[in-house]
Amino acid sequence: MDYWENIYKKKNQIIDWPFSDLVSLFTRFSNLKKKNISVLELGCGAAPNANFFLAKKINYVGIDFSKSIIKQVSRKFKKNKNIKFYCLDISKPIKFKKKFDYIIDRGSITHLSEKELSQCIHNIFINLKRQGFFFSIDLFSTNHSIFKRGSFYDSYYTRIFNKKKDRYYNCGKINFFSKKRIIYFFEKRFKIIELVEKNFVNHTKKNERSSFWQAVFKKK
């Protein structure tokens, strides 16, 4: 996690546009006609998705463990009363006073260890309203070319990349998911509404494959 704090301190990885996959999923599966919709974003970073919810007049809360980025985005959106930010670690117990209609994640929970992931999923469950939705995109798939290149962290599926030539060198742990693992972690508490694996092949780099999951879950 120090990696990301250092990145944000240097004001790198500052993205201003919302992620199209997340916008698409949210638009398809949410009820935008409902009043006083509330959304919680895990690992919000520079909050590139906040403007989308602001435009839809949706109450938005973003959380991130990085004090640097929370200070930055709090200043950026200080005039918007329906947008709030908190410095919280999604791998630790979190409970808000009011539950959310929707919780979203773009590539944050995929950087958790096995134990941290279980805690985070519990956080999602207890902070969602009944029949609420959880949207997650960019979960690393076990079909990704880099999966077997990394060293074990705390399980076969959680890897770290210590070689400078590695694409994800020194970016912390990455948890990789198969369809079976996603079902294992989520099916007890959530109904899987949609589960899609995206595959991209880079033909200029010896057919290197990038593979990620995007998923929609509904609280049971």
Side-chain angles (χ1 to χ4, degrees):
M1 290 188 176
D2 289 340
Y3 169 83
W4 294 104
E5 176 65 8
N6 291 332
I7 288 289
Y8 292 137
K9 275 185 177 180
K10 295 176 182 178
K11 296 188 177 181
N12 293 327
Q13 202 78 4
I14 306 300
I15 302 169
D16 292 323
W17 58 90
F19 291 94
S20 58
D21 286 341
L22 187 57
V23 170
S24 176
L25 283 180
F26 189 85
T27 302
R28 285 169 55 205
F29 291 99
S30 62
N31 181 7
L32 294 175
K33 293 181 179 180
K34 182 181 176 181
K35 294 183 179 179
N36 297 316
I37 297 174
S38 59
V39 170
L40 170 65
E41 180 166 14
L42 308 178
C44 64
N49 300 306
N51 278 319
F52 167 72
F53 296 108
L54 182 63
K56 298 294 183 181
K57 298 181 179 180
I58 292 172
N59 298 307
Y60 170 93
V61 173
I63 60 175
D64 201 286
F65 78 95
S66 169
K67 293 180 180 178
S68 298
I69 201 63
I70 290 298
K71 286 181 180 178
Q72 291 179 44
V73 292
S74 294
R75 287 195 297 267
K76 180 179 179 180
F77 292 97
K78 64 181 179 180
K79 294 182 179 180
N80 304 107
K81 294 181 179 180
N82 63 330
I83 293 184
K84 296 180 180 179
F85 296 96
Y86 300 97
C87 186
L88 294 169
D89 186 341
I90 62 172
S91 69
K92 304 289 177 60
I94 297 172
K95 188 174 183 180
F96 286 89
K97 290 182 179 179
K98 292 184 179 181
K99 296 186 178 184
F100 296 86
D101 296 292
Y102 305 100
I103 296 179
I104 63 174
D105 158 64
R106 185 265 162 182
S108 62
I109 70 172
T110 200
H111 289 284
L112 300 177
S113 68
E114 298 290 290
K115 184 178 180 180
E116 291 170 340
L117 179 61
S118 296
Q119 176 62 61
C120 184
I121 293 173
H122 178 69
N123 292 339
I124 293 166
F125 182 79
I126 66 173
N127 285 291
L128 261 182
K129 292 180 181 178
R130 186 173 178 273
Q131 301 293 302
F133 283 78
F134 171 53
F135 302 90
S136 185
I137 67 168
D138 292 346
L139 295 174
F140 279 79
S141 168
T142 50
N143 288 320
H144 200 299
S145 293
I146 68 164
F147 172 49
K148 294 185 178 180
R149 297 179 196 168
S151 303
F152 291 1
Y153 182 74
D154 68 338
S155 78
Y156 174 76
Y157 295 99
T158 311
R159 308 283 177 119
I160 53 174
F161 299 86
N162 296 319
K163 297 179 181 179
K164 290 185 177 180
K165 65 179 182 179
D166 287 329
R167 181 178 174 185
Y168 295 96
Y169 167 70
N170 201 30
C171 74
K173 53 190 175 289
I174 298 177
N175 207 322
F176 292 82
F177 295 85
S178 62
K179 177 182 175 181
K180 186 176 180 179
R181 287 192 80 233
I182 291 175
I183 293 172
Y184 168 78
F185 277 109
F186 286 95
E187 71 171 350
K188 291 181 181 178
R189 295 177 171 181
F190 300 88
K191 179 180 180 181
I192 300 176
I193 303 299
E194 179 162 292
L195 184 59
V196 175
E197 186 177 18
K198 301 180 297 177
N199 291 287
F200 307 94
V201 178
N202 188 335
H203 293 280
T204 62
K205 292 188 176 181
K206 296 182 180 180
N207 295 330
E208 183 176 282
R209 179 182 296 275
S210 296
S211 187
F212 303 92
W213 294 99
Q214 64 180 38
V216 180
F217 306 96
K218 188 175 184 180
K219 182 177 177 178
K220 289 182 178 179

